[in-house]
Amino acid sequence: MRRDHTHLCHHRPPQKRRTPHRGRQPHLPICPPCLRHEHRVLDDIADALGHWQHQPRSLVPAIRYDRDRTEGAGDGPKDGITHPADVLEALWEWAGSWAQRTGGTANAAVLDHLKARTLWAAHNPQAAQWAAYRPAMRQLRHAARRIAHLLPQRQNGPCVHCGATVVRDWADRDFQPLPTGLSDMHRCTGCGITWGDRSWWMTVNRTTLQALPEVKPEQYVTLEDAWLIFPDVPKPTWRKWKERGHMIERRRDERGRSMYHVGDLAALATRRVSDTRNVREVG
């Protein structure tokens, strides 16, 4: 009885379809397009590492501005990869594991070694740990692009139109470095809207945020957003309200910062203005 390997293929057919999809031979657990795709992931890692440049250490010590002890905060990436050598070490671990299980030695170039045994790994998913290998390679590709400064640079503050992340690009869609370096254009990864430069993005942000209390009082905002929305309220006042429990935390953002309903903050700001006027009238 023939074993069914269709679950290993990226282009697996629908469950009701019993015949293999066009392009994959019945006895193969992975189709040629999927095999080429797995090889392409390895090529992407090599391409990203090829763009890595050594950054000389500065004589001026770095200053951390994110002093908040939030979950996930730290001095480095969660995967611990900060140098091309870290990526290569992870690749060699996989190459050595596969070599041990195939009775060979990993003495060739690591990417060539993995490419040469990808088909074997698909045929032997248990021995090769195929289900763990595929996401691991994609994570290494992401890490390689990160240390090579090919990933978009995230900006502080979400898109005021859809709430998604706003970024500036170091590279094009094919992850090739832009000839001009970091782009001045700000781009939303959600709705795709763009701003020509930071000053225009900040202007739109400020205008949109200041209209939120009347337009959308249930909108979530951070303390930093409140400073822009209510410029007449001093920053120490916001901190004092927070310490005294006057500000009700509704949720936390992806950086672990407290978020509040802008309508609740507007009520606090309005009450402050009213109290200030009453004090002046009594005086």
Side-chain angles (χ1 to χ4, degrees):
M1 182 170 133
R2 185 176 61 86
R3 295 177 60 187
D4 183 9
H5 294 284
T6 56
H7 66 285
L8 299 177
C9 183
H10 178 69
H11 298 103
R12 63 178 183 271
Q15 294 182 356
K16 294 183 179 180
R17 183 179 177 182
R18 296 184 178 180
T19 57
H21 69 287
R22 185 173 61 182
R24 192 186 71 229
Q25 299 179 13
H27 64 283
L28 292 180
I30 186 172
C31 68
C34 286
L35 182 62
R36 289 194 296 268
H37 181 76
E38 295 302 324
H39 289 171
R40 193 177 305 117
V41 173
L42 298 175
D43 291 335
D44 290 342
I45 295 175
D47 181 74
L49 295 182
H51 292 298
W52 179 84
Q53 295 181 358
H54 173 69
Q55 301 294 329
R57 187 172 182 177
S58 174
L59 298 178
V60 180
I63 301 175
R64 285 191 58 194
Y65 294 95
D66 54 339
R67 296 292 184 179
D68 296 336
R69 293 185 177 272
T70 57
E71 182 180 357
D75 296 328
K78 294 181 180 180
D79 56 17
I81 295 177
T82 59
H83 191 274
D86 299 328
V87 178
L88 294 176
E89 181 180 357
L91 291 172
W92 276 115
E93 288 181 0
W94 280 101
S97 175
W98 286 6
Q100 183 179 5
R101 284 167 171 77
T102 56
T105 57
N107 54 8
V110 62
L111 294 178
D112 292 340
H113 179 92
L114 293 173
K115 282 184 179 181
R117 286 162 177 77
T118 303
L119 186 59
W120 165 85
H123 273 278
N124 301 271
Q126 298 298 328
Q129 298 181 3
W130 181 250
Y133 165 80
R134 296 183 67 247
M137 291 304 104
R138 284 146 181 81
Q139 292 172 4
L140 286 176
R141 177 175 61 181
H142 181 85
R145 288 170 173 171
R146 185 188 69 242
I147 63 177
H149 297 290
L150 298 176
L151 296 180
Q153 182 189 83
R154 299 178 61 173
Q155 304 300 297
N156 292 327
C159 173
V160 294
H161 299 287
C162 71
T165 304
V166 176
V167 299
R168 296 170 63 189
D169 291 308
W170 283 104
D172 58 22
R173 292 184 178 181
D174 295 325
F175 292 96
Q176 298 303 304
L178 296 175
T180 56
L182 184 62
S183 173
D184 291 330
M185 184 182 69
H186 288 56
R187 172 177 60 86
C188 173
T189 58
C191 61
I193 193 171
T194 60
W195 300 267
D197 53 35
R198 184 172 183 81
S199 61
W200 177 240
W201 176 61
M202 292 295 293
T203 300
V204 173
N205 272 10
R206 187 178 298 107
T207 303
T208 305
L209 287 172
Q210 290 176 347
L212 283 178
E214 296 182 2
V215 177
K216 195 175 182 181
E218 72 279 4
Q219 176 67 40
Y220 296 109
V221 296
T222 64
L223 188 58
E224 289 80 1
D225 296 330
W227 298 343
L228 295 175
I229 299 172
F230 310 99
D232 295 334
V233 180
K235 294 181 181 180
T237 301
W238 289 110
R239 298 191 184 100
K240 185 182 299 182
W241 286 343
K242 184 177 181 180
E243 293 172 358
R244 294 179 177 177
H246 297 326
M247 300 170 60
I248 303 175
E249 180 182 309
R250 301 292 183 175
R251 57 179 288 188
R252 287 180 177 267
D253 65 3
E254 56 188 11
R255 295 175 56 188
R257 298 178 300 177
S258 299
M259 301 194 76
Y260 314 89
H261 278 167
V262 69
D264 296 342
L265 304 185
L268 288 173
T270 302
R271 189 185 312 162
R272 175 184 178 275
V273 173
S274 178
D275 293 343
T276 303
R277 288 177 179 175
N278 292 336
V279 170
R280 290 178 179 174
E281 290 177 1
V282 172

